[in-house]
């Protein structure tokens, strides 16, 4: 997408009010050095309403942020990989209620932790087997190593589960998880986890292709997402952003150098957080979502499947506040439901921010985020590189600023 063709009035948005977005981000975050730089894009209908570029993509080399900067999108990989699996579901190759062990036989006897610590867990049988639906909705009983709240996530850290060290693969992750109990019986709770990495493994098992190859043929080629992959290419390195975190004195420090990044040459195709991309590429993905599963004549997923995926699948139409375990996630819990790979806004008043009921979204560990609002025909992509994403509430602030600009 050409970011020079910006026309707020054609998108029925106020140019003056949209400018507040960049003014706020520069004044509150870039100039004080809280982030190195950022890129914000607002699309309404088929019209670019706003593009704002600020700061640097690489502070150490004094390289400016540009509209073609390549970012680590971390968990913004999840919606892409979830739709990839559902594209196989549309071919009748599995049922959402299939037990996961249909495709991962070594998981047939997964147990639930009752007590103890690794390697001496006390375990019990789950109430029912894990289903594929549980992976897509994060109700599987799996967890993440960085939660740092239970003995199971501690075991993940001890074993380096889903850590992309050299030579590590999805198959290695599956074999490790086969030896560990679950946090809870599948379906009982909601817990952010490596479940979407397992979804990526299922894509490989069911399609017969590597996850990278399946995404390339199913998403990236049809949608023209030429800058999205699991590792930056050599020709992208000059556009690749460095990633930052904050030290104990809240100073911005380098977390992953763009020119010696851990993302180079990865063998672990993380469906939960492994892709790099650009704002333009991810906006194409959002345009496909706004197009009810199609873009420029290329249908990726059916309209009804996408509606099904973005509906709230939590039991009793609950919000996350009532079913989620305590711990990190990419969303507030109040007034938010969860579908098959997407969070969904079910009550804006309870949530406290104005995105329309039925809008859906997710974010990434390095503070990237997106949302799609079908009612307002609106999509927003925000890119920066600051870990963790819980450092600042960019989503809430951007929701307030963007919706204030609607005519």
């Amino acid at each position: 997408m050409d970011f020079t063709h910006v026309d707020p009035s054609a998108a029925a948005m106020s140019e003056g009010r949209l400018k507040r977005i960049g003014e706020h981000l520069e004044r509150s975050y870039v100039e004080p050095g809280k982030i190195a730089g950022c890129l914000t894009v607002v699309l309404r209908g088929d019209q670019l309403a706003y593009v704002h570029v600020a700061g640097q993509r690489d502070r150490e080399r004094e390289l400016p942020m540009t509209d073609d900067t390549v970012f680590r999108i971390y968990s913004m990989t999840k919606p892409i990989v979830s739709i990839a699996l559902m594209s196989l579901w549309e071919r009748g190759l599995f049922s959402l209620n299939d037990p996961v062990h249909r495709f991962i036989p070594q998981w047939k006897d997964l147990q639930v932790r009752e007590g103890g610590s690794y390697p001496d867990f006390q375990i019990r049988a789950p109430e029912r087997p894990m289903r594929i639906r549980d992976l897509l909705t994060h109700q599987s009983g799996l967890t993440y190593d960085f939660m740092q709240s239970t003995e199971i996530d501690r075991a993940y850290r001890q074993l380096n589960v889903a850590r992309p060290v050299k030579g590590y693969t999805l198959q290695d992750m599956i074999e490790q998880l086969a030896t560990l109990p679950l946090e809870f019986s599948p379906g009982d709770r909601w817990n952010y986890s490596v479940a979407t990495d397992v979804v990526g493994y299922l894509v490989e098992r069911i399609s017969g292709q590597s996850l990278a190859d399946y995404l390339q043929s199913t998403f990236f080629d049809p949608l023209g997402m030429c800058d999205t992959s699991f590792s930056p290419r050599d020709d992208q390195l000059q556009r690749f952003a460095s990633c930052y975190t904050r030290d104990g004195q809240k100073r911005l420090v380098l977390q992953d150098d763009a020119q010696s990044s851990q993302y180079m040459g990865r063998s672990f195709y993380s469906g939960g957080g492994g892709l790099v991309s650009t704002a333009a590429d991810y906006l194409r993905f959002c345009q496909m979502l706004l197009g009810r599963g199609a873009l420029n004549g290329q249908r990726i997923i059916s309209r009804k499947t996408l509606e099904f995926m973005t509906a709230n699948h939590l039991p009793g139409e609950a919000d996350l506040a009532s079913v989620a375990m305590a711990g990190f996630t990419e969303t507030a819990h109040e007034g938010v439901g969860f579908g098959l790979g997407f969070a969904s806004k079910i009550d804006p008043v309870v949530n406290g921010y104005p995105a329309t009921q039925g809008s859906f979204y997710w974010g990434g560990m390095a503070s990237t985020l997106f949302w799609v609002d079908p009612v307002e025909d609106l999509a927003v992509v925000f890119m920066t590189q600051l870990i963790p994403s819980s450092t600042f509430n960019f989503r809430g602030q951007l929701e307030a600023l963007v919706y204030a600009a609607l005519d």
Side-chain angles (χ1 to χ4, degrees):
M1 174 165 287
D2 184 355
F3 283 170
T4 63
H5 295 155
V6 179
D7 188 349
S9 61
M13 300 189 77
S14 164
E15 183 176 5
R17 285 174 175 260
L18 283 168
K19 286 181 178 178
R20 296 175 182 175
I21 297 170
E23 291 168 356
H24 169 70
L25 291 169
E26 292 191 40
R27 179 181 64 249
S28 300
Y29 295 102
V30 177
E31 291 170 6
K34 293 180 178 179
I35 60 175
C38 60
L39 172 55
T40 310
V41 184
V42 179
L43 179 86
R44 198 170 192 204
D46 59 0
Q47 179 62 55
L48 272 175
Y50 184 71
V51 177
H52 176 260
V53 185
Q56 297 174 318
R57 68 175 182 268
D58 187 328
R59 207 174 54 157
E60 286 65 36
R61 296 172 182 84
E62 298 185 343
L63 297 175
M65 185 68 71
T66 56
D67 60 18
D68 63 350
T69 294
V70 178
F71 300 88
R72 301 155 194 78
I73 63 170
Y74 281 99
S75 287
M76 280 166 57
T77 305
K78 288 180 169 71
I80 294 174
V81 172
S82 297
I83 291 182
L85 183 62
M86 291 300 289
S87 71
L88 296 167
W89 176 79
E90 287 190 328
R91 293 163 55 186
L93 298 178
F94 69 92
S95 164
L96 289 175
N97 287 327
D98 280 344
V100 173
H101 66 250
R102 176 187 168 191
F103 299 100
I104 309 177
Q106 58 269 54
W107 282 24
K108 185 172 183 179
D109 297 315
L110 285 181
Q111 302 290 292
V112 177
R113 177 184 177 269
E114 285 249 289
S117 59
Y118 181 79
D120 298 315
F121 289 116
Q122 288 86 59
I123 57 176
R124 63 172 174 84
E127 297 299 316
R128 62 165 176 80
M130 186 192 301
R131 299 170 181 162
I132 293 177
R133 181 192 302 269
D134 298 322
L135 293 171
L136 289 161
T137 60
H138 287 292
Q139 296 180 90
S140 63
L142 297 167
T143 191
Y144 263 129
D145 63 346
F146 55 76
M147 293 297 192
Q148 301 193 12
S149 59
T150 72
E151 289 297 329
I152 302 296
D153 64 58
R154 185 173 176 225
Y156 280 32
R157 290 193 296 279
Q158 288 178 265
L159 295 174
N160 290 320
V161 173
R163 284 287 176 186
V165 296
K166 187 177 174 111
Y168 188 84
T169 66
L170 281 171
Q171 186 65 48
D172 294 328
M173 179 194 71
I174 294 299
E175 299 299 337
Q176 288 176 316
L177 291 172
T179 70
L180 295 172
L182 303 172
E183 293 276 15
F184 50 82
S185 189
D188 281 0
R189 302 294 301 276
W190 189 94
N191 188 50
Y192 202 38
S193 73
V194 297
T196 318
D197 290 303
V198 182
V199 167
Y201 178 78
L202 292 181
V203 170
E204 294 195 337
R205 286 296 308 275
I206 296 168
S207 72
Q209 295 179 266
S210 74
L211 181 59
D213 287 345
Y214 190 79
L215 293 182
Q216 191 69 45
S217 62
T218 304
F219 276 96
F220 307 151
D221 288 343
L223 294 178
M225 296 173 65
C226 59
D227 276 324
T228 305
S229 63
F230 284 104
S231 293
R233 302 183 307 267
D234 289 346
D235 63 292
Q236 292 176 305
L237 288 181
Q238 287 304 310
R239 294 186 284 131
F240 193 35
S242 287
C243 194
Y244 299 89
T245 188
R246 299 209 297 172
D247 64 15
Q249 286 73 50
K250 298 185 177 181
R251 296 173 301 194
L252 202 64
V253 295
L254 187 65
Q255 185 268 342
D256 186 42
D257 190 299
Q259 301 308 308
S260 58
S261 174
Q262 59 179 322
Y263 273 75
M264 308 298 186
R266 281 187 165 183
S267 55
F268 180 55
Y269 297 147
S270 169
L275 289 175
V276 300
S277 190
T278 60
D281 269 20
Y282 212 88
L283 194 62
R284 289 186 182 92
F285 175 63
C286 291
Q287 284 181 288
M288 179 273 292
L289 298 174
L290 274 179
R292 274 58 173 181
L295 178 65
N296 297 333
Q298 298 289 327
R299 179 156 294 282
I300 306 300
I301 201 82
S302 80
R303 174 179 62 86
K304 292 300 292 184
T305 299
L306 184 59
E307 289 174 359
F308 180 62
M309 292 184 70
T310 56
N312 183 18
H313 286 245
L314 298 180
E317 299 186 358
D319 69 358
L320 288 173
S322 61
V323 297
M325 292 178 63
F328 174 83
T329 183
E330 293 293 347
T331 180
H333 288 169
E334 293 77 15
V336 175
F338 202 84
L340 306 180
F342 297 87
S344 56
K345 186 75 69 85
I346 58 176
D347 192 330
V349 174
V350 171
N351 180 247
Y353 298 102
T356 311
Q357 182 179 1
S359 60
F360 52 93
Y361 62 91
W362 204 239
M365 175 69 86
S367 302
T368 60
L369 63 89
F370 82 98
W371 79 85
V372 171
D373 186 333
V375 174
E376 295 290 349
D377 204 12
L378 178 77
V380 177
V381 175
F382 174 75
M383 298 291 205
T384 188
Q385 298 283 258
L386 177 71
I387 290 177
S389 57
S390 56
T391 308
F392 302 115
N393 181 22
F394 288 120
R395 182 177 301 282
Q397 295 168 51
L398 286 171
E399 280 193 32
L401 289 161
V402 169
Y403 285 95
L406 294 177
D407 284 344

